[in-house]
Each structure stands twice: as C-alpha cells, then as structure tokens.
Amino acid sequence: MMLELGLNQQPAHTRQGSSIGQPLTRRDGFLKVTGTARYAADNHPPGMLYAVLAVSSIARGRVVSLDIEAAKAHSGVVEVMTPLNRPALAVDPDAKDHPFMFRLDLLQNDGVRYPNQSIAVVIAETLEAATEGAALLSPRYETLPARVGLDGGKSFVPRGVGVGNPAVQEKGDVEAGLESARTRIEAAYETPAQYHNAMEPHAIVAAWDGDQLSIDTPSQGLAMAQGRIAGLFGIAPRNVHIRSPFLGGGFGSKGMISGPQVLGILAARLVGRPVKLVLRREQMYGPVGHRAPARQTLRMGMDGEGRLTALSHHARTTSSTFDDFFEPAADASHTLYASPAIATSHDAVRLDTGTPLFMRAPGEATGSIALESAIDEAAHACGMDPLEFRLRNYAEVEPMTGKPFSSKALRECYEQAAEAFGWASRPLQPRRMRDADGFLTGWGMGTATFPALMFQAEARAVLRADGSGLMETGAQDMGQGAWTAFAQIAADGLGLDIDQVDFRAGSSDLPNAGIAGGSGHTATAGMAIHNAGAAVIARLADLATGNEASPLFGAGNEGVLARGGRLYRRDDESRGESYSEILARAGLAEIEGHGKGAPDPASQETYAKHAHGAVFAEVKVDPDLGQIRVTRLVGAFAAGRVINPRLVRSQYYGGMIWGVSFALHEEAVTDRRSGRIQNANLAEYHVPVNADVPSVEALLVHEDDPHVNALGIKGVGEIGITGTAGAVANAVWHATGVRPRRFPIRIEDLLG
Amino acid sequence: MRDFSYLRATSVDAARQAAALPGAMLLAGGTTLIDLAKCGVAEPDTLVDITHLKGLDRIEIDERGAIIGALARMGHVADHDDIKSRFPAISEALWQAASAQIRNMATIGGNLMQRTRCPYFRDPSNFSACNKRVSGSGCSAIGGVTRGHAVLGTSDACIAMYPGDLATVLVAFDATVRLGDRHIRVDDFFLLPGTTPDREHAIEPGEMITAIEIPSSAAAHRSTYLKVRDRQSYEFAAASAAVGLELESDGRTIRDLRVALGGVATKPWRARAVEAALKGKVLEPEAVRAASLLAVEGAVDHGANHYKIELAPRVVARAILKMGETA
C-alpha cells in the first residue's frame, strides 16, 4: 500500500543527490502525530462485527462447561465460537512442519495448556456486547496443578536452541583451562519472564469474500503470515491480502501470526461478516509469546595477565509443554571474548505457559546481561579496569569459529564511548563515589553485539515516462522507520530525488520483503530495493545506449551513471539525457526491474558478521533506601553503513532503554499456585518512564563492511539492549559493592 | 453490555439522594471507577455524575487552614501556590502520584476513595476469593504474590495495601473529611480491614465527600512527602512517609512532629509512636533512626513484602532528618 502523505508532510531534509546517509525525518511522522495513521484496529468495514476472546483462568486442565446459552441470550451477541462449531481448518493447528511453524491454540479441543489460552470467541454487534457475552460464558474447569518456575519440571537438553543452534558447543578444554588459571570466578544470574508489551495490542480485522480473504493486522512478516494463514485455511497464498502499514511496536511478538489473530479470521468465516478482534492488554500475556526466564552460570579462568584461559556458560531456560522455543542465552559467549577454551550449554524445563518466542534480542539480551556481569566480576578478580580487561581479551577473530570478522570497529566504539563518558577517572574499587546529595554513584560498562543477519526479500522498481519512479516491496514499519529508510535506498537505487519516488510497502500483495526481525530488515529488503533499482536502470541504459539518437549511444551499460533523473556518460558527464526523454523516444509509458536481497553464501562461510558497540552507564543508588536510578548512558555502535543517522540513533536509544528495562524494570510475576501472571498490565509490569532515562547518548562509529552486502548494512534494531543491561548491573555493583544476581534489580536487593 | 443508568446530578442533595439507592455510585474524574468497572470489580447499576456541580472544586486557604473542594483536580491542587507554600507535603504527594494525565482528571474526593492495587482484588474473573469484594469469600493474596502488600494493619481476612499518597499526608496533619454537615477525621474515615475488609470507609449510603479540611500548623508548613519506589514516576510507593516538623526556638528541640506512612499499611498509617518518642527530644540522627523503628511495630510480612519492614523506618528517618536540615 502507499503511504498517504499529507500536503505539508514533505520530508524536512529533501536534498539533491544521495539520499542514503541523510538524517531525513520520518515520512510517516506527520500522520502519526496527527493521529491519522491508520493502524489495524482503526478499520471498520461495512457490516463488521466485534469478536472478544474468552480465555482460560487456569494454567492446565480442560474446560468442562461453558454457558453458551447465557452468552447467546445476551442482547447483541450474534454467535459463540467454541470447539463444537469452529469452522474446519485444512491443517491441524498442532502440526509442525518446520521449527518456525509454531503450534497455535485455535479451539481444536477442550484442553487448556496455559493461562489466557483462548477457549471461546464471542461475536457481537458491539464490543461491549461481545465483552459481556464472554463474561457470561462462566467456564468451569477440570484443573491440574500448574508447573511453574525454572525448577518446575524435569530438565532436559533441547535438540536445538534459538534458530537451530546446537544446545551444547565446546572448543578447547575448558576444565584444563580452568585448572591452569591463576584466577577463577564462578557466577550465577537469574532473569525473569518478560512480555513484549507492544503499545498496540494484536488486532485483526478480517473479511471473507468467497475464498478471498482481506485482513488488516500488524505483522512483522507479511509473507510468512500470508503463507501460514493460507495453509491453515487451504487457500492459495495469493488469495490472502494482508495490510500492515504501521505497527505500534512488535518486538518479535508480531513476527508469526498468533492464535488470536487466526481466531479473528475463523470468527469472520463462521458468521459470514467482517470481524474485528483486538486483544486486551492482559490477554497478551500468554498466546503471543514472551521471553522465557533463565538461570545462567558462568565460569571463567584467567592467567596472570588477565587473559581468559577458559570460558564456560550454561543456561537453564523454559519452554511450553507443547512446543519448542529455547532462548540461546549461552551462545552470547561465542562471539565477544577470546579464549582458548569455550563451552556453552543449555538445558530446559517445560512449563504451563504459552510458548516463548523471539523477543528483543532473544538469547543475546539474556546472555549478554550474564556474560557482561561475569566479565565485570572477572576483571575485578584480576584487579583490572573492566575496559582494560575487555581489551586484553579482545577477539581478533570470532572466538568460537576462528573466522575473521567481516568488519569490527569495536575498539573504536570502546574508545569513543569511554572518552565521551569520562571513564578514565573511574575508581577501580566499588563504593568510592558519592554525589553532592550523598547518593552512591557507580559506573559500569558492557559490550554490545548482535549478528548481522540477512533473510530473503524481493522488490519491484518502475520508471515512468514522466520521470518519476516507483518502488514496491512488502516491507513492515513497526516504528523503526522503514517507510523512510527504504525510500532513501530506493531514491538512490533509481537515481532520483526522494520526492520523485513513490514507495509502496506494508502489504502482502507486494513483493515479499522478508521479516522485520533479527535486525535484518534494512539489509535484506534494502538490498532487494537496491538491486531492483539497478535492474530498471540497466534496462533504461539499454534503451539509451542502443539508440543512435541518444547522446549515450554506444556508451554501454557500464559506461553510464544515473543521477537526478538523468543518465550520464561516465567518461563525459556533459553528455546525458533525462529518463523521460529516453522513455519517450522508446515509446514506453514505463519500464520495470526486479531485485532480490539475500545473504551471500560464500561470504557467510568465510566471515563472522556482527555489529558491535560499547555502552557505559552511570547509576545513583540511595545508600539507605536502595532506590536505583540510571542517570547517564553513553553508547557507541559500529554497524556498517548508516542509511539514516536520525533513525539509527533513535534505534540505539530505544535499545539502550530496553537495556535499562531489562536490568531494573521488567518482570512478569507468577502466582505459583495458579500459574497466572499477577501483573499483566502496564501499571504493574514496569517499563521505564521518561524520568527513568534522563540522559542517553548514542555515538555512530564509522565502519565500512565490504562483505555483509553491497550496501554495507548490518543492523541496528536490537544491539542496544545488549551491553546496556550488563552495564547498568555493573554500575550498580560499582556504586554499592553488591553484585546483582537476579534481575530486575530491586530495592530489597540493596537494603543490606 | 451490562446496562446501567447515568444521572447527572444537579445539586449536592440530589447527588446524595441518588447515590443512596442500592447499586448507585458517584462518578467524578472516573480514573478509579472506570478502571474498576473494566476489570469487573465495580458493577454499578447507576452512575451519578457529580462533575458538573458548581463550587465543589474550590480551594480556600486562610490562617486556620485549607479547605479543598471534593471536585478539585489533583493537578490543580498540586500546583496551587498557597498549598505549595503552606502545605508542601500535600503538593509533593500529589505531584508524585499517578501520571500527569490522571492528575488532570482525578479529583480530591475520588482520590480518597481509590482502592487497593491488590491483583487478586482486581481480578474477579480468575480469583473468586476476596474478602474485600465478597465478604467471607477468603483471601487469595495470602500465600500468593505479595511484594506489594501491606505489613501493617493487616488481618487474617485481608492484607491489601492502601495505595494512595495524599491521604498519607492528610492523616499526618489531622485533616478532616467533610461529608456535607458531618465531619470526620481522615484517620477515622479509613477503616482497618479486621473481619470486614469489604468496608473500607466510614461513609454511609447517601453521604458524599464535599471537601477536605486541613488545619494549619507549623508542622504542616514545614513538611515533606518522601516516596520510594521502583521507578521514577507512575508508580505506587514501596514505602513513603509524610513528615511535618516544628522545632523549639532553640532550633534543635522537637516541639511537634507528624509522621505517617504510605505503601506499607492497609490504610494511611499515622506513626504516633515515632512522634511521641521524639517530641521534646533534640533532633539528632541516631535518636531519629532509633525512634523511626517504632513506625513498624507490630508489622507482619507475607514473604516478598518483608523488605517494607526494613525500608519504612529508613524512609521515615530520612524524611525527618531532611526536614531538620531545612531552615
């Protein structure tokens, strides 16, 4: 779909020449601040009904009865969907053909396997009637004891963790390395379950027309959602039309289509009318994924110079009883610090929860807070400054694989962030700094890293006789700025100014842009856009260079430059002509080109590809009252080519704030008797408020990477959370002398 | 949907009469009531909207004290120059409460009537046992998630914490709730749970808060509200203290001291033992810290909230010492 730009919503920094690298303001900003950006739940097709989920009170057991009569008798209620009348699906929702096909709860039976699982859907003329109808169902249950917590079941070693990594990996002899060490540390850390809590709840407006299905819903992966829905309903993917122009945050929870979204489609099918279904905040704690809790143990050995002789990282995590997703937390130790021996391992227990899913650096964030805390402990045990210790163990090649890095400007990140922060004056010992008000002041640091991933994407480019261009790819903007950054890449790819380019995204009817996840969207879809632009320019050049009437005749494709809507001879820039002239001469209204973005398998084999960064944190802790406040964060990040420094900085800010959130705020608290989460709302499930993050600075460190892709783009979405969480924890230690062992760090942990 | 009647009251008397009917509730800013209706705790048959009543939002201050109308908005009171100068703890408590959006809507009368954040109380569809909702149904919180629950004033029937900030200040300074012609001390307005946690306020059907009256005092003039919490804003107190201090002319002997605790008790909690222990004594840190321990005499924890017993006296001591430092 096309972004409906307001009249006075021209980009603030429109400029001639290259768009890439310019700090353009968000092209969708005007729509958002005026409330005219249309999110999924803002849609009201004619005849639409409202669907409300009835969800399970219990964690485990089965539904014995539902008072369907009472619900249907309520004025305005049209239908109640239960396992008895739910329309048939072409595929068992419990089938799993591949690791990323997650099992869904679609009323396939009366079983309950986690709290807030959908057990019925009430469809009514109004939201209020549907809500009351759901309450009137008064479910009765047969209840089994809930399995809760990191020791809530028998542990096992998963077959794979994350995206299929081995659960256990080893290089060198860790035990021997520990044995030979001059200094050793062993440290354990616990992190809680966390929930994505995007501001926009999962919402869907679904309308059937025969076998054509029209959907408005937020999606980080339109093509995957389209494929999954098509498979479930036994229709062709091209019959599924999903619009997702804006997401009010996703954080991984909108990567896969969730059960409640599919139930909205089923409800529309059942009643033969369009249906809207929006999750209530508390209903987001269950069926749409979460970050599993973890208990991590690290062991490190160091020689007399503070060099690691061994690094061992074990993570206990959890998954649901019915599906597999295991945070690869220990894998964080594969990439950052050089050690002759590294061992990572995972085990897991199964709990009566929804299935955990990708959430804001899944594995990397959890692993990083433990690794960076342990590195801090190790530095202290060696009597070394934490930055000096990190530099002493700087990895010149990827530690676990021995591969060279495609690029790694981490040293520059350390230098620039330390300088901006003023790290050099930090006392080595804790509890040495107080501010004028008597607060204990602490400085801590952490290293940030995130893999530079790419997926598969396609784009279609068009040049028109009027000299304008069109770029299409089904990209997803979840707030990161895709509408803007991709238009910048498109403008350069087409050799046009950005205001001459129509950029279309956010629809499954457009070419597959891959997933907006894994911090790989800009690289992946950006490369597809770049290549599509090159393809259509090549066609245009063919038209010109092959025509005797053109001043470019005979220059050959390689001999032509595209810029500002004109082609020029490379060897003589005074000879050129406009796109319009070329197309007019050829008698063509428009020409098109296609491009793909994908990782290069050869360079994948050769290089380790990661973005890096360094984060420094200052905290103040009230020595008597234990109250912790982060007063300053400085990060420096090197992540290849920066398409838009304004947006990139904003991504780093966001990531760093999530790091504060991880260290000090977020925790889903479970009632151990019922298995229910007791703070399933935004008043009690804490994320930082503005006042919690008074000063954040993100430095962009220059980095050229010739190997990741032709544009040199890595990814910036998730790296900020890594490094930061540990930096805050280490700053708390430096302020107080108390080493945080469980997260979030609470007042009671510091009362002493 | 569940139908209810909506009445717009045209006078205080009409509002009282309408609210006296079974199932009727007064509606002011709505920041508590609508929230509770959404989670199924409040199920009014009739809402009596009093927001259009004239004159109930006045703030009157003279040498005897302040009278704050029930419909004055939290944000308005917090920002009132005379409140800030003569009752600083009131302004500070209000500024640290809720969010700017809520403070712009919520009224002072409604603020007193705000109900506990106990997650079991607020979740009737998943936890049927709650003595505060249904007398005699039991308490789901005991044995459950209790980090935010009370350690003072609890009973076997209820451990729900009173979450408000303003009322903590009001009990410290002997404020009175005006229910029309009947006046009742704030300390008596809030009831201990005992065996009847469903009854939280000494207010009868047909009564309505019309104003709050705070008498002037030297202690109120030299007062503060210290709120300790897990995040900087939009968060209830882990422990808080309202403190007012009056010194003798020697500048070091305590003539009058007011101490009340928030975030730790089932109602706004006046710490008279702390006051008594320090009145007539010289203000010095060791004595203040020792006396502050009396604030949690008789406290009982339920596991995760144990830290409040440790924390509350420290908050009290800090607030007293901070007041001692001000000239």
Side-chain angles (χ1 to χ4, degrees):
Chain A
M1 64 192 305
M2 233 166 103
L3 190 58
E4 306 149 28
L5 292 175
L7 280 178
N8 47 353
Q9 205 266 314
Q10 293 302 317
H13 299 278
T14 299
R15 51 161 281 138
Q16 305 300 306
S18 174
S19 286
I20 288 178
Q22 298 304 315
L24 303 198
T25 53
R26 289 165 196 271
R27 301 173 73 235
D28 49 341
F30 184 84
L31 298 177
K32 287 184 175 171
V33 299
T34 55
T36 45
R38 185 182 287 259
Y39 289 80
D42 296 332
N43 291 286
H44 301 83
M48 187 190 81
L49 296 173
Y50 294 82
V52 166
L53 293 183
V55 299
S56 162
S57 284
I58 65 165
R60 181 184 175 201
R62 66 184 195 92
V63 179
V64 177
S65 75
L66 291 168
D67 195 345
I68 295 166
E69 290 312 305
K72 287 181 91 161
H74 188 73
S75 170
V77 171
V78 172
E79 187 55 274
V80 177
M81 185 166 73
T82 70
L84 300 174
N85 65 344
R86 186 264 273 159
L89 289 166
V91 170
D92 177 359
D94 276 322
K96 194 173 177 83
D97 295 349
H98 57 85
F100 299 115
M101 183 169 168
F102 289 95
R103 298 189 168 102
L104 301 173
D105 289 283
L106 301 176
L107 304 176
Q108 53 264 47
N109 54 48
D110 61 5
V112 173
R113 40 197 190 183
Y114 55 93
N116 290 344
Q117 179 194 313
S118 306
I119 56 172
V121 181
V122 178
I123 306 144
E125 297 287 350
T126 64
L127 175 63
E128 291 79 7
T131 303
E132 183 62 12
L136 289 168
L137 286 173
S138 309
R140 290 195 302 114
Y141 303 96
E142 203 172 86
T143 309
L144 290 167
R147 289 159 289 190
V148 176
L150 282 159
D151 300 305
K154 191 170 164 351
S155 78
F156 62 96
V157 177
R159 263 178 300 177
V161 295
V163 293
N165 305 351
V168 178
Q169 295 191 56
E170 188 159 8
K171 176 195 94 162
D173 187 337
V174 163
E175 296 309 323
L178 287 168
E179 187 63 33
S180 70
R182 169 79 64 89
T183 311
R184 281 179 285 273
I185 63 134
E186 177 165 349
Y189 311 91
E190 261 190 51
T191 54
Q194 301 175 347
Y195 283 73
H196 303 78
N197 272 306
M199 188 70 86
E200 177 203 29
H202 293 65
I204 189 164
V205 177
W208 288 92
D209 181 4
D211 267 357
Q212 295 288 318
L213 175 59
S214 165
I215 296 173
D216 295 284
T217 201
S219 170
Q220 292 175 242
L222 283 162
M224 278 172 61
Q226 183 189 45
R228 181 71 160 126
I229 292 165
L232 283 165
F233 287 91
I235 57 178
R238 67 174 180 281
N239 289 5
V240 179
H241 311 278
I242 312 175
R243 289 170 298 278
S244 185
F246 308 109
L247 286 79
F251 314 124
S253 76
K254 293 166 184 167
M256 316 284 158
I257 202 83
S258 67
Q261 287 163 295
V262 178
L263 287 170
I265 303 169
L266 281 162
R269 183 124 210 168
L270 180 66
V271 296
R273 285 168 68 176
V275 162
K276 178 191 296 196
L277 187 153
V278 182
L279 287 192
R280 289 172 61 122
R281 177 63 52 183
E282 67 269 22
Q283 292 177 339
M284 294 168 72
Y285 290 72
V288 298
H290 65 284
R291 190 199 297 285
R295 182 187 298 139
Q296 300 176 70
T297 308
L298 284 99
R299 294 183 298 153
M300 292 178 187
M302 285 74 63
D303 68 15
E305 264 90 51
R307 282 190 187 82
L308 287 166
T309 59
L311 165 56
S312 146
H313 189 160
H314 176 75
R316 156 75 59 91
T317 186
T318 72
S319 190
S320 68
T321 56
F322 58 93
D323 212 342
D324 292 345
F325 182 83
F326 303 97
E327 277 239 339
D331 291 0
S333 286
H334 289 171
T335 50
L336 271 183
Y337 301 106
S339 173
I342 299 174
T344 59
S345 58
H346 300 81
D347 72 345
V349 298
R350 294 196 180 279
L351 305 178
D352 296 308
T353 65
T355 304
L357 281 174
F358 309 92
M359 173 168 163
R360 300 182 206 128
E364 290 87 0
T366 313
S368 168
I369 198 169
L371 174 63
E372 294 303 315
S373 292
I375 285 285
D376 204 63
E377 292 194 55
H380 185 65
C382 294
M384 290 173 70
D385 173 84
L387 176 53
E388 186 194 351
F389 184 82
R390 283 173 172 84
L391 289 168
R392 184 70 47 86
N393 290 288
Y394 194 87
E396 301 294 350
V397 295
E398 188 178 48
M400 201 65 179
T401 61
K403 287 183 192 175
F405 290 103
S406 60
S407 63
K408 180 178 177 180
L410 177 57
R411 270 205 181 83
E412 292 81 350
C413 294
Y414 284 140
E415 268 168 37
Q416 293 182 27
E419 173 71 24
F421 186 84
W423 181 258
S425 64
R426 175 186 180 272
L428 207 53
Q429 298 301 322
R431 278 188 94 91
R432 289 292 195 277
M433 298 196 294
R434 289 212 186 216
D435 72 1
D437 298 319
F439 290 110
L440 296 166
T441 303
W443 290 356
M445 68 168 296
T447 309
T449 189
F450 198 84
L453 303 174
M454 284 184 73
F455 310 104
Q456 307 280 336
E458 296 164 16
R460 172 176 175 265
V462 175
L463 288 174
R464 302 172 180 133
D466 65 1
S468 69
L470 166 68
M471 186 67 75
E472 294 184 327
T473 186
Q476 297 97 181
D477 193 325
M478 48 182 178
Q480 82 278 40
W483 278 115
T484 308
F486 286 142
Q488 289 177 259
I489 298 172
D492 281 11
L494 293 170
L496 289 170
D497 291 336
I498 196 166
D499 53 359
Q500 288 292 103
V501 178
D502 288 336
F503 175 61
R504 292 183 186 161
S507 163
S508 68
D509 293 341
L510 299 173
N512 175 6
I515 190 165
S519 299
H521 199 32
T522 308
T524 309
M527 278 306 301
I529 290 167
H530 174 80
N531 289 334
V536 75
I537 292 293
R539 262 210 77 194
L540 188 71
D542 275 345
L543 292 175
T545 59
N547 192 311
E548 288 178 18
S550 167
L552 299 168
F553 177 68
N557 254 352
E558 295 301 309
V560 168
L561 286 173
R563 193 171 63 231
R566 296 177 67 84
L567 294 185
Y568 302 88
R569 279 189 78 110
R570 208 177 276 275
D571 55 7
D572 178 5
E573 291 202 18
S574 70
R575 293 166 69 188
E577 63 180 334
S578 71
Y579 297 177
S580 308
E581 288 168 312
I582 299 167
L583 290 173
R585 187 186 303 114
L588 293 169
E590 60 176 49
I591 55 173
E592 69 176 72
H594 297 261
K596 290 188 175 181
D600 166 24
S603 85
Q604 289 295 88
E605 214 36 58
T606 313
Y607 294 103
K609 302 173 182 178
H610 303 274
H612 292 92
V615 182
F616 293 79
E618 176 183 85
V619 305
K620 299 204 170 176
V621 180
D622 189 305
D624 300 320
L625 309 181
Q627 194 168 253
I628 311 160
R629 296 292 180 259
V630 176
T631 46
R632 211 151 56 90
L633 289 176
V634 177
F637 301 91
R641 180 86 161 276
V642 170
I643 301 301
N644 181 322
R646 182 192 302 267
L647 297 175
V648 166
R649 205 169 275 121
S650 174
Q651 287 290 284
Y652 291 147
Y653 291 159
M656 290 163 76
I657 293 165
W658 286 128
V660 173
S661 198
F662 199 127
L664 300 182
H665 296 289
E666 285 184 75
E667 177 179 20
V669 184
T670 301
D671 178 293
R672 301 188 69 85
R673 304 161 303 181
S674 63
R676 294 195 64 81
I677 292 166
Q678 290 306 95
N679 59 340
N681 62 72
L682 287 179
E684 272 109 2
Y685 182 97
H686 285 175
V687 296
V689 298
N690 280 316
D692 289 306
V693 203
S695 166
V696 188
E697 190 178 349
L699 308 171
L700 312 188
V701 173
H702 181 83
E703 188 178 69
D704 287 318
D705 192 317
H707 305 298
V708 280
N709 48 61
L711 288 168
I713 300 170
K714 290 181 175 176
V716 297
E718 291 159 280
I719 186 171
I721 189 171
T722 73
T724 308
V728 171
N730 295 337
V732 168
W733 171 81
H734 190 240
T736 63
V738 176
R739 178 64 64 184
R741 295 284 167 208
R742 62 170 186 176
F743 297 94
I745 311 166
R746 297 283 197 205
I747 290 167
E748 54 265 43
D749 299 324
L750 301 178
L751 285 180
Chain B
M1 63 181 282
R2 190 178 294 138
D3 290 331
F4 62 87
S5 309
Y6 170 87
L7 298 176
R8 183 176 289 190
T10 51
S11 69
V12 171
D13 281 342
R16 283 202 197 105
Q17 279 174 23
L21 298 172
M25 296 183 83
L26 295 171
L27 173 69
T31 56
T32 288
L33 181 54
I34 290 168
D35 196 27
L36 290 175
K38 278 186 178 176
C39 63
V41 171
E43 296 183 330
D45 298 320
T46 304
L47 286 183
V48 183
D49 185 350
I50 57 171
T51 53
H52 299 81
L53 296 181
K54 298 287 179 218
L56 278 182
D57 60 351
R58 276 204 291 270
I59 301 170
E60 298 166 29
I61 300 187
D62 60 22
E63 65 280 2
R64 284 166 300 166
I67 297 173
I68 302 173
L71 291 182
R73 307 280 175 179
M74 288 172 70
H76 187 204
V77 179
D79 203 26
H80 194 281
D81 285 339
D82 291 335
I83 294 288
K84 283 198 282 193
S85 65
R86 297 172 66 171
F87 303 93
I90 289 179
S91 173
E92 290 173 20
L94 288 168
W95 272 124
Q96 294 177 76
S99 65
Q101 294 88 338
I102 291 171
R103 292 194 296 268
N104 284 340
M105 286 299 292
T107 64
I108 293 298
N111 180 279
L112 293 192
M113 300 299 289
Q114 75 178 302
R115 306 195 69 188
T116 183
R117 297 295 303 184
C118 172
Y120 300 94
F121 166 76
R122 290 173 58 86
D123 191 1
S125 57
N126 293 308
F127 294 93
S128 55
C130 174
N131 290 319
K132 202 177 259 311
R133 285 197 315 262
V134 181
S135 183
S137 62
C139 174
S140 297
I142 294 172
V145 172
T146 57
R147 184 172 181 268
H149 285 78
V151 292
L152 289 165
T154 58
S155 71
D156 292 343
C158 186
I159 60 171
M161 188 252 280
Y162 173 75
D165 296 300
L166 173 65
T168 304
V169 181
L170 297 179
V171 297
F173 298 105
D174 295 324
T176 301
V177 181
R178 289 188 172 182
L179 303 158
D181 294 334
R182 186 163 86 95
H183 298 186
I184 179 169
R185 293 189 324 143
V186 172
D187 203 5
D188 298 327
F189 180 76
F190 289 96
L191 306 175
L192 285 170
T195 56
T196 55
D198 53 315
R199 191 163 155 71
E200 296 180 352
H201 311 101
I203 188 167
E204 302 295 333
E207 287 190 313
M208 179 180 125
I209 300 173
T210 50
I212 293 164
E213 186 176 349
I214 311 117
S216 283
S217 63
H221 189 260
R222 186 175 183 170
S223 65
T224 191
Y225 184 73
L226 177 59
K227 182 174 181 179
V228 174
R229 43 184 165 169
D230 290 322
R231 67 177 169 188
Q232 187 69 20
S233 182
Y234 190 51
E235 165 63 349
F236 298 96
S240 68
V243 162
L245 177 69
E246 183 188 1
L247 296 177
E248 300 286 359
S249 54
D250 65 2
R252 46 201 293 270
T253 307
I254 298 171
R255 178 186 291 169
D256 189 13
L257 176 67
R258 310 294 183 85
V259 179
L261 281 76
V264 295
T266 53
K267 59 173 272 187
W269 196 260
R270 181 81 176 260
R272 293 187 190 277
V274 180
E275 298 173 5
L278 287 171
K279 271 187 206 168
K281 302 279 168 51
V282 170
L283 181 83
E284 56 87 24
E286 279 317 301
V288 168
R289 286 197 195 98
S292 295
L293 294 173
L294 299 172
V296 289
E297 265 193 324
V300 177
D301 76 81
H302 285 81
N305 61 352
H306 178 79
Y307 80 103
K308 287 175 185 275
I309 300 176
E310 191 76 30
L311 180 61
R314 300 186 190 194
V315 178
V316 169
R318 172 70 62 81
I320 296 173
L321 292 170
K322 180 181 155 198
M323 278 300 90
E325 284 164 14
T326 60

